[in-house]
Amino acid sequence: MQPLIDSFGRQIENLRISITDRCNFRCRYCMPEEMMQWVPRDEILTYEEVERLARLFVRLGIRDIRITGGEPTVRKDLPYLISRLHMIDDLESLSITTNGFRLKALAKPLAEAGLTRINVSLDSLVPEHFAYITRRNALNAVMEGLEELEEYPAISPIKLNCVGIRGFTEREVVAFAELARRKPYVVRFIEFMPLDADGIWREENVLTGREILDMINEAMPVPLVPIPTDPASTSRVYRFADGNGEVGFINPVSEPFCATCNRIRLTAEGMLRTCLFSVRETDLRLPLRDGATDEELEHIIRAAIWQKELKHRINEGEFFQRANRTMSQIGG
């Protein structure tokens, strides 16, 4: 089977599938506090439709699938979907991105279903700061969920994603680094991107990965040592010489990695997006429900991927166009 290649020669191997646009948090960089317009339930892909598309994408060369939202754990029977996807031949990695609120109850069933990796969004280790950024008083539940995850080593690594926002994140950088030194977690700092619902993002709000790295090296008694990563990886990864975990930096604003991007996204209602900042989408739900064959769907997918954007243009002033959706609507 011919691999999925875009017009710039990038081979697409990573697919992120959103299964809901709903969430039990209201993070300030992602969603408004209220008045969200949810996608009608009958427009959301069923698990059977998700599985069919996932199987097709894997036959076309996708090797890594991540289930996202909104918040994927708010959708009923998530472990069932994971168990179905786990059985797909040639799928090498199956993960979810979650806010962690329901992990204490779901860690065991997700591990038993075949989940191999997990990303947990965690922007603060201080209850008051956590409540401010998420608009929910739920830090204890998330930390209990992480402790429960450690009981299931088949799900590894456990990655913690912290959005770097100037004026907010600096005060906890060292605490997160100490957590990575003490625990078997990969703490990843992700630069604040213009995907917020309120449209208040400004480049001066971005706390860059380089700044955070310098803060850690200045404060910690042991310097961070770089770890070699795959060229298509979004993250620059480091380890403490005497630590258990790792620290990563995802720098899409200050150090774009578009040239090696191998990722595409499928929204909860079946729209294929070839870039996080796309202003166009390709509808897969309509042909799927109209009875399209796998060959017909493949033709649609290949045509969309051939038009994958060269880069996101965040740093190009008037040439930059905001994505036509927020992060929660696209899928993290």
Side-chain angles (χ1 to χ4, degrees):
M1 179 74 72
Q2 182 71 20
L4 292 172
I5 303 288
D6 70 11
S7 62
F8 302 101
R10 295 171 295 194
Q11 184 169 328
I12 309 304
E13 298 182 322
N14 186 305
L15 172 64
R16 300 180 182 186
I17 302 176
S18 173
I19 59 171
T20 182
D21 64 331
R22 298 170 189 253
C23 188
N24 44 11
F25 286 8
R26 295 292 182 272
C27 296
R28 293 175 183 272
Y29 55 79
C30 182
M31 301 175 73
E33 187 169 7
E34 51 190 28
M35 303 299 290
M36 281 291 294
Q37 298 296 313
W38 307 117
V39 176
R41 293 187 185 277
D42 62 352
E43 295 181 14
I44 300 290
L45 293 181
T46 67
Y47 282 170
E48 290 73 23
E49 290 169 332
V50 170
E51 182 184 351
R52 181 184 170 193
L53 288 173
R55 288 185 179 276
L56 174 58
F57 274 108
V58 171
R59 286 204 300 274
L60 297 177
I62 292 295
R63 293 294 172 260
D64 183 328
I65 289 179
R66 182 186 302 175
I67 300 299
T68 71
E71 171 52 42
T73 63
V74 303
R75 185 157 173 185
K76 186 179 179 181
D77 298 326
L78 175 60
Y80 169 76
L81 174 63
I82 296 299
S83 70
R84 296 297 302 173
L85 300 180
H86 174 66
M87 292 188 287
I88 299 177
D89 291 338
D90 297 322
L91 180 61
E92 297 174 1
S93 177
L94 178 58
S95 61
I96 68 168
T97 293
T98 174
N99 60 31
F101 182 70
R102 299 194 63 218
L103 274 181
K104 187 172 183 179
L106 286 174
K108 181 179 181 180
L110 287 172
E112 292 175 343
L115 192 71
T116 60
R117 294 190 299 122
I118 194 165
N119 289 9
V120 180
S121 298
L122 183 63
D123 297 304
S124 175
L125 300 169
V126 178
E128 295 80 8
H129 301 167
F130 183 94
Y132 169 79
I133 200 72
T134 65
R135 300 188 176 104
R136 296 292 185 270
N137 185 15
L139 179 59
N140 286 344
V142 175
M143 299 309 291
E144 289 174 0
L146 290 173
E147 292 288 340
E148 183 69 15
L149 267 179
E150 292 183 44
E151 300 298 316
Y152 303 96
I155 302 178
S156 178
I158 298 171
K159 295 182 179 180
L160 306 184
N161 291 344
C162 175
V163 175
I165 303 174
R166 190 175 302 282
F168 180 84
T169 307
E170 296 97 324
R171 54 191 169 184
E172 295 194 54
V173 163
V174 175
F176 272 110
E178 289 172 341
L179 180 65
R181 190 179 176 200
R182 185 175 75 251
K183 286 280 196 175
Y185 301 154
V186 181
V187 173
R188 306 195 305 174
F189 293 96
I190 303 175
E191 291 179 346
F192 182 27
M193 291 180 283
L195 292 161
D196 54 310
D198 297 325
I200 61 173
W201 180 91
R202 298 292 181 272
E203 192 165 354
E204 56 264 29
N205 300 142
V206 178
L207 184 64
T208 69
R210 171 53 61 182
E211 290 175 282
I212 295 173
L213 175 60
D214 289 344
M215 290 178 197
I216 294 172
N217 279 331
E218 182 177 340
M220 300 296 286
V222 180
L224 286 168
V225 179
I227 300 173
T229 58
D230 185 283
S233 174
T234 62
S235 182
R236 298 189 175 198
V237 186
Y238 298 77
R239 175 186 291 278
F240 290 108
D242 63 347
N244 290 309
E246 299 172 358
V247 179
F249 301 90
I250 301 177
N251 306 329
V253 179
S254 66
E255 301 176 64
F257 37 79
C258 303
T260 57
C261 178
N262 68 348
R263 289 165 295 284
I264 54 175
R265 285 174 164 80
L266 188 66
T267 70
E269 69 273 38
M271 301 295 171
L272 178 62
R273 297 177 63 90
T274 51
C275 175
L276 186 57
F277 292 92
S278 287
V279 294
R280 64 173 183 266
E281 300 173 331
T282 300
D283 191 344
L284 297 185
R285 185 192 67 211
L286 181 60
L288 183 68
R289 293 186 177 178
D290 279 350
T293 65
D294 281 1
E295 290 72 22
E296 290 168 334
L297 290 169
E298 177 185 345
H299 177 77
I300 296 169
I301 290 167
R302 288 190 183 278
I305 288 175
W306 187 254
Q307 298 181 65
K308 179 174 168 66
E309 297 83 347
L310 173 62
K311 55 184 177 178
H312 55 53
R313 298 180 180 272
I314 291 176
N315 299 309
E316 296 186 21
E318 63 183 18
F319 293 102
F320 171 63
Q321 285 184 283
R322 275 181 172 264
N324 57 357
R325 301 193 194 219
T326 65
M327 179 65 90
S328 65
Q329 296 167 325
I330 295 169

